[in-house]
Amino acid sequence: MIGGIVLTVLVVLCIGAVIVFKAVIGPGNVTATDVAVGDCLAEIPDGDEVLRVQTVGCDEPHAGEVFAVLLMPDGDFPGMEAIEAYHDKCGPELATYSPAAMTDDSVQLYVLYPTAETWAAGDRAVTCIATLDPPRTGSLRG
């Protein structure tokens, strides 16, 4: 009898954990290094080290859109100065992706980039994101 009660409590706790896990790591909650060109972000992440982002369909209100993922060459970690210099490639990429965005004052740039820690794990992506303030629906590609 007590064994059955304990088993029932464990099953209920496991189901609760799965529900919480799915709510936190929902279908649009992805690793920041897994976003691709054309992905739209529900919001622009805070902080210096971003591990996960919330993607949404571009037909839903969103605060950002990935317009380029630039891969840095392999090798030793080049240092933050070299990575920040790589950010300069985002502007021309936005001009190609959406020429109209270049003259839209509500569009700004946000960049996700490798850190020494993520570089050691194989991250070479400099991800260029157009931020949209206020958030909007529809892709910048038009």
Side-chain angles (χ1 to χ4, degrees), residues 16-137:
V18 168
I19 291 170
V20 168
F21 180 78
K22 285 188 175 192
V24 172
I25 311 293
N29 190 314
V30 299
T31 304
T33 55
D34 288 339
V35 295
V37 172
D39 284 350
C40 289
L41 306 182
E43 55 191 40
I44 301 303
D46 289 329
D48 293 334
E49 292 188 23
V50 177
L51 300 177
R52 301 191 73 79
V53 294
Q54 184 69 37
T55 60
V56 295
C58 293
D59 58 336
E60 297 179 39
H62 55 278
E65 184 170 339
V66 177
F67 63 87
V69 178
L70 310 171
L71 296 179
M72 296 188 71
D74 283 333
D76 292 335
F77 182 69
M80 290 310 298
E81 188 174 309
I83 288 174
E84 288 171 4
Y86 221 80
H87 294 186
D88 294 340
K89 296 182 179 200
C90 288
E93 291 290 329
L94 180 58
T96 299
Y97 184 83
S98 175
M102 300 303 292
T103 58
D104 186 339
D105 291 340
S106 68
V107 176
Q108 301 295 316
L109 294 180
Y110 179 82
V111 180
L112 296 174
Y113 53 85
T115 63
E117 294 80 22
T118 63
W119 188 275
D123 179 17
R124 302 292 183 271
V126 173
T127 304
C128 307
I129 301 168
T131 65
L132 310 167
D133 188 21
R136 62 176 80 167
T137 59

